[in-house]
Amino acid sequence: PPCRYTGTPADISAPPAGPESAPPAGPGSAPINDSCLTPPAERSERERASDDEKVESRQSIERGFKRWFPTWPTNLDDSEAEARKAWYRLTPDERREAIELTPAYLRAREQLGRSKTRTVAAGKYLHEKRWQRLGAVAAAATNPPTVHKPFSKGWQALAISRLLEPDAPMPAMTPFLQQTVKAGGPMADRVRREHRQRWAWPKVSEMYAAAEQFRGQVIDGAIVAAGEGFKSYHIDSAEVQAFRRLYERMDWPWPRMGDAKWICFPAIEAGGSVEAAIETFKATISEGQGDHDAA
């Protein structure tokens, strides 16, 4: 059958629009700009752009590492892979600080007498964030050695730091003392302890002997700074007695104090112990001086 016209015939113009305004918008919310409404092609393009930005960021990190690593004095001997892993684990701010403070850190080490051949490895510098120690390192470099009297903060800091060192080689006991130790018992323990106290820390023994002559010690600025947290205790105080018992357990020689009534030791925190106080001091001197041993 012939088709019927359902609209305006082609040869008749459409009537003009009426003067009425467009109907107002409905009360519903405006359409949500949901990513699900984004056409798949456009969404794919956006994701590719985001991936490109991530690649650029990684490339920027790598370029920064390649610029910094050759500036480290031991880069020819260091593990570049380990340094790179440590570099990528840093935050952007930490990488910026590591770069900016590298020259100052190296200058401070040179002032402390650290040669380039003993500089800490690049990966260790990054992993331990050594540039954050720069304040303490620089302070030690700018503090010259000074003389300190016996039993003062600096003097005791030096003595304890030396007691924390490994035992020095000791001379053999006399045949009589060897027989006494071999026999066992309380006398054997006493002989063994006194032999170690006399010979295992010769530098401390020299300090004690000099103290009996009222002679002080020339002490490095880093050790003096580490001893600033020490406190002066009366020799009859419970704190000094606790330190004395610790010395006995460690076989450390106790200073010969003569008429002195006061001596300095690491401050004991409320509810803390002398062992904890010594460990805190040990950590302090390791922070200031450990670079040389770890290099």
Side-chain angles (χ1 to χ4, degrees):
C3 296
R4 292 184 304 134
Y5 288 105
T6 59
T8 304
D11 57 344
I12 302 174
S13 301
E20 295 86 359
S21 301
S29 302
I32 299 173
N33 186 18
D34 194 339
S35 61
C36 295
L37 303 177
T38 304
E42 183 178 347
R43 191 162 62 245
S44 176
E45 182 65 25
R46 291 181 181 179
E47 290 172 354
R48 282 197 298 271
S50 177
D51 290 340
D52 289 342
E53 289 176 0
K54 293 178 182 178
V55 171
E56 284 294 321
S57 176
R58 187 175 181 86
Q59 289 174 346
S60 176
I61 295 173
E62 180 65 18
R63 284 196 299 269
F65 174 76
K66 289 183 176 179
R67 285 195 301 267
W68 174 82
F69 184 69
T71 68
W72 195 253
T74 59
N75 70 84
L76 294 179
D77 299 318
D78 290 349
S79 168
E80 184 172 346
E82 290 299 319
R84 179 178 280 104
K85 283 193 292 186
W87 179 267
Y88 274 81
R89 284 194 293 264
L90 299 176
T91 66
D93 287 342
E94 287 172 342
R95 282 190 289 270
R96 176 180 53 79
E97 291 174 355
I99 294 172
E100 292 177 354
L101 295 178
T102 290
Y105 180 84
L106 295 175
R107 284 196 303 270
R109 286 181 60 85
E110 289 177 0
Q111 291 174 5
L112 288 172
R114 274 65 163 171
S115 65
K116 290 185 177 181
T117 58
R118 294 184 63 82
T119 299
V120 66
K124 196 172 187 69
Y125 169 80
L126 297 172
H127 175 68
E128 298 183 359
K129 303 175 186 178
R130 291 290 186 95
W131 64 89
Q132 295 179 351
R133 304 181 184 183
L134 188 58
V137 173
T142 56
N143 291 337
T146 50
V147 178
H148 293 260
K149 64 182 182 180
F151 319 126
S152 63
K153 291 182 178 182
W155 191 93
Q156 273 290 88
L158 178 61
I160 296 175
S161 68
R162 288 176 171 176
L163 289 171
L164 290 169
E165 295 175 353
D167 295 9
M170 294 183 289
M173 295 182 181
T174 64
F176 174 76
L177 293 179
Q178 291 180 20
Q179 288 296 326
T180 303
V181 172
K182 187 175 180 180
M187 183 58 69
D189 292 339
R190 178 180 175 181
V191 168
R192 179 195 55 77
R193 181 171 59 254
E194 290 180 349
H195 184 77
R196 187 164 180 246
Q197 289 174 343
R198 180 178 180 184
W199 299 107
W201 299 278
K203 293 180 180 179
V204 176
S205 298
E206 292 172 3
M207 289 181 65
Y208 289 178
E212 291 185 286
Q213 303 298 320
F214 308 103
R215 299 200 311 270
Q217 295 285 319
V218 177
I219 303 174
D220 183 77
I223 294 294
V224 174
E228 285 300 316
F230 281 31
K231 183 178 178 181
S232 182
Y233 297 100
H234 192 275
I235 59 172
D236 294 331
S237 66
E239 292 85 356
V240 170
Q241 297 310 311
F243 274 111
R244 186 156 196 162
R245 290 191 293 271
L246 173 64
Y247 272 52
E248 290 175 356
R249 292 194 298 272
M250 300 295 295
D251 291 342
W252 290 349
W254 187 256
R256 300 181 290 272
M257 298 188 59
D259 296 331
K261 300 297 182 183
W262 296 86
I263 185 171
C264 294
F265 280 107
I268 305 173
E269 296 183 1
S273 64
V274 293
E275 290 83 2
I278 291 292
E279 285 300 317
T280 299
F281 171 68
K282 183 178 180 180
T284 302
I285 59 176
S286 296
E287 180 79 8
Q289 295 184 317
D291 292 350
H292 181 68
D293 298 329

